[in-house]
């Protein structure tokens, strides 16, 4: 018997096979050449453009748009990649509506910004589809650097170091490089295995050896890395998932949203991914939205996001919240989970309404239940597996300046380090800047030794 959205429990193949391809198609199709020219023509090419300041990687946005307008999309791509080697992914997943596009003077004047993100994708796709890598390595320096973590920060750091002439060994605990770009972003945002293709394109710079299945604290130790390499960069990400601290959380149908998204991203056939009829997602960030929307696209009949604070406090942008609502996801705010109800099969989640005051969140005393056969936790992640030899501050690796840890010769960046805001583009900036500092440090030490 064929399953449907009304099939009880957690089941695969809830939709006709053709529906999966349609549901998980590119959420925002790319611009064609004519559309890109029209979009580029709206840019004022501002002097001291506020969009540049709003970009964590400080891409010269007016310049690359001017290059598109004058028929040089590949030159535009080079301008982007000079600052952000993962500019293709960032064009797809960056919350441009609260970064560069929110700062656009067209947004302030007309409420309709220049489509910076889509123009960036047009430029980067044009170059990458040619299979061309726009950078060459400098002369070999003889230095070897270990980069632990092949997510956005690690990839950006490894590429910049390789470009400077250093030899890099890039290590990651998983089977594939890419970090959250590969495992943690909604499938409809990065279609056609773009994350993997971007990594392969990036590695064309040469000088980077990729080793997978290498986890710090298991196959690797910081002391051994320090002994073997001239410098170490840690881009570990946040592997631990925060607990609900609610009764019944250990139920086998309560799952980490990041694991659900990772499994979906690696599924060869989306119809084989099982999903509940009544899905509840607890959290208010991008992971919560991605898990909820994809549950709906897989055929769940009822999907609800529940967040403990007000909707204006959700870290998912208004654009993403609206996207979730457009797919039929219900968003309930001001409620915290009390207990998971069910025996062999999950039945419901009981919540308490909350109110926020001077003493933080407090329950109002009023409760309600949501029917649920599957629950996803998306209430944030924490650092797991960090070496004991580096200082931890507020749950992350403490860094100063361009990623310097308290341990000489060890740098860190991305989500695992203090100061970031859990965005791909910020992680890229931190990895890039740490690489520049590693290079300057190694070159300076070599010059002193020569003297």
């Amino acid at each position: 018997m064929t399953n449907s959205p009304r099939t009880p429990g957690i089941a695969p193949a809830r939709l006709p096979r053709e529906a999966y391809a349609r549901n998980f198609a590119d959420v925002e199709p790319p611009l064609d050449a004519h559309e890109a020219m029209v979009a580029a023509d709206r840019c004022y090419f501002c002097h001291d453009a506020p969009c540049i300041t709003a970009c964590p990687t400080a891409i010269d946005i007016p310049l690359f748009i001017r290059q598109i307008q004058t028929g040089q999309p590949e030159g535009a791509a080079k301008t982007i990649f000079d600052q952000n080697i993962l500019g293709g992914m960032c064009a797809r997943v960056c919350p441009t509506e609260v970064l560069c596009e929110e700062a656009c003077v067209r947004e302030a004047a007309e409420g309709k910004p220049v489509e910076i993100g889509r123009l960036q994708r047009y430029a980067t796709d044009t170059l990458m589809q040619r299979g061309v890598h726009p950078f060459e390595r400098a002369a070999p320096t003889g230095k070897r650097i270990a980069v632990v973590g092949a997510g956005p920060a690690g990839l950006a750091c490894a590429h910049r170091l390789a470009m400077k002439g250093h030899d890099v060994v890039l290590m990651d605990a998983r089977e594939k490089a890419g970090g959250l770009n590969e495992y943690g972003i909604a499938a409809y945002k990065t279609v056609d295995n773009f994350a993997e293709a971007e990594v392969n394109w990036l590695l064309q710079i040469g000088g980077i050896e990729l080793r997978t299945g290498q986890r710090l604290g298991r196959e690797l130790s910081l002391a051994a890395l320090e002994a073997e390499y001239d410098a170490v960069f840690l881009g570990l990400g946040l592997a631990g998932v925060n607990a609900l601290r609610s009764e019944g959380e250990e139920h086998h149908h309560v799952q980490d949203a990041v694991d659900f998204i990772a499994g979906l991203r690696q599924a060869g056939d989306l119809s084989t991914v099982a999903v509940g009829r009544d899905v509840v997602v607890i959290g208010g960030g991008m992971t919560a939205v991605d898990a909820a929307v994809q549950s709906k696209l897989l055929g769940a009949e009822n999907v609800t996001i529940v967040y403990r604070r007000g909707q204006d406090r959700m870290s998912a942008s208004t654009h993403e919240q609206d996207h979730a609502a457009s797919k039929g996801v219900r968003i309930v705010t001001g409620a915290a989970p009390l207990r998971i109800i069910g025996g062999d099969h999950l039945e419901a989640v009981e919540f308490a309404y909350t109110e926020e005051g001077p003493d933080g969140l407090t329950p109002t005393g009023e409760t309600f239940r949501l029917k649920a056969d599957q629950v996803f936790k998306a209430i944030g992640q924490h650092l797991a597996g960090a070496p004991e030899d580096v200082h931890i501050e507020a749950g992350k690796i403490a860094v100063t300046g361009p990623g310097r840890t308290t341990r000489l010769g060890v740098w860190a960046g991305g989500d695992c380090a203090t100061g970031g805001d859990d965005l791909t583009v910020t992680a890229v900036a931190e990895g890039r800047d740490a690489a520049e500092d590693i290079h300057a440090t190694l070159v300076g030490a070599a010059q002193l030794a020569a003297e």
Side-chain angles (χ1 to χ4, degrees):
M1 178 177 171
T2 304
N3 291 322
S4 78
R6 294 188 295 278
T7 300
I10 299 173
R14 289 183 175 276
L15 302 173
R17 181 167 292 276
E18 63 273 12
Y20 292 98
R22 182 173 64 251
N23 286 356
F24 286 88
D26 209 329
V27 66
E28 194 161 12
L31 299 172
D32 62 28
H34 174 71
E35 291 169 331
M37 293 290 280
V38 172
D41 199 46
R42 294 190 65 243
C43 183
Y44 285 141
F45 310 111
C46 308
H47 178 66
D48 294 332
C51 56
I52 300 176
T53 304
C55 174
T57 52
I59 294 169
D60 191 336
I61 294 168
L63 174 59
F64 93 69
I65 294 179
R66 173 75 78 181
Q67 289 169 307
I68 291 173
Q69 189 196 46
T70 56
Q72 304 174 65
E74 294 177 7
K78 177 66 162 54
T79 297
I80 294 162
F81 289 134
D82 277 338
Q83 293 294 101
N84 182 348
I85 196 59
L86 299 183
M89 179 61 74
C90 288
R92 289 161 166 80
V93 304
C94 260
T96 54
E97 66 277 1
V98 296
L99 294 173
C100 54
E101 291 178 12
E102 184 176 70
C104 177
V105 294
R106 284 278 197 180
E107 168 66 20
E110 304 168 9
K112 182 176 168 49
V114 174
E115 294 182 284
I116 298 170
R118 298 185 75 192
L119 286 166
Q120 179 167 313
R121 176 175 175 179
Y122 169 74
T124 54
D125 282 4
T126 298
L127 180 60
M128 291 177 68
Q129 286 166 4
R130 287 189 56 209
V132 173
H133 196 82
F135 302 101
E136 295 181 358
R137 296 191 70 198
T141 64
K143 301 294 184 181
R144 295 178 74 233
I145 296 99
V147 175
V148 185
L155 288 167
C157 183
H159 183 273
R160 186 58 62 104
L161 288 168
M163 197 168 69
K164 298 286 188 182
H166 306 295
D167 291 322
V168 181
V169 178
L170 176 62
M171 311 169 199
D172 197 84
R174 295 192 189 245
E175 295 180 359
K176 291 182 180 180
L180 286 179
N181 288 355
E182 175 63 44
Y183 292 97
I185 293 171
Y188 54 81
K189 294 179 181 177
T190 58
V191 301
D192 301 325
N193 294 318
F194 179 78
E196 184 175 3
E198 185 176 50
V199 169
N200 293 335
W201 174 85
L202 179 149
L203 293 176
Q204 289 179 25
I205 185 68
I208 302 174
E209 178 190 348
L210 176 61
R211 299 178 185 174
T212 57
Q214 302 290 303
R215 184 186 299 275
L216 198 64
R218 191 178 64 190
E219 291 83 10
L220 307 172
S221 75
L222 184 57
L225 292 171
E226 289 175 302
E228 184 177 354
Y229 296 91
D230 296 292
V232 178
F233 175 81
L234 303 176
L236 306 175
L238 300 176
V241 177
N242 295 337
L244 291 176
R245 297 185 176 87
S246 301
E247 180 185 340
E249 181 180 359
E250 68 283 355
H251 196 285
H252 59 282
H253 287 158
V254 177
Q255 184 182 2
D256 297 338
V258 291
D259 291 340
F260 168 68
I261 294 170
L264 190 155
R265 282 290 303 272
Q266 300 307 307
D269 181 355
L270 290 174
S271 69
T272 65
V273 179
V275 70
R277 176 180 181 178
D278 298 289
V279 176
V280 173
V281 182
I282 300 172
M286 281 303 311
T287 300
V289 169
D290 284 355
V293 170
Q294 291 186 114
S295 296
K296 194 70 177 174
L297 298 180
L298 287 170
E301 184 177 29
N302 302 299
V303 180
T304 306
I305 293 174
V306 184
Y307 178 58
R308 59 183 180 148
R309 302 184 187 276
Q311 193 160 355
D312 61 329
R313 298 288 299 277
M314 291 177 67
S315 57
S317 67
T318 301
H319 174 80
E320 291 293 336
Q321 294 177 42
D322 290 344
H323 177 67
S326 74
K327 298 301 180 183
V329 174
R330 180 188 177 201
I331 298 177
V332 176
T333 57
L338 290 177
R339 63 190 180 112
I340 311 296
I341 301 166
D344 291 340
H345 300 285
L346 200 151
E347 298 172 10
V349 186
E350 184 175 7
F351 292 89
Y353 282 113
T354 62
E355 56 186 9
E356 198 161 7
D359 299 323
L361 280 180
T362 56
T364 65
E366 185 180 359
T367 64
F368 67 95
R369 291 185 180 184
L370 285 177
K371 184 180 178 182
D373 46 32
Q374 189 173 34
V375 173
F376 293 122
K377 298 185 295 183
I379 55 172
Q381 295 172 266
H382 61 266
L383 181 62
E388 297 178 357
D389 305 324
V390 296
H391 180 60
I392 304 298
E393 182 179 298
K396 294 190 175 186
I397 298 173
V399 296
T400 56
R404 296 184 182 184
T405 72
T406 52
R407 199 168 180 88
L408 188 65
V410 179
W411 285 255
D415 292 350
C416 71
T418 55
D421 50 13
D422 299 340
L423 293 175
T424 296
V425 66
T426 304
V428 170
E430 291 174 354
R432 176 201 67 194
D433 294 347
E436 291 286 356
D437 194 56
I438 292 169
H439 173 71
T441 301
L442 295 179
V443 170
Q447 288 175 342
L448 284 174
E451 294 172 0

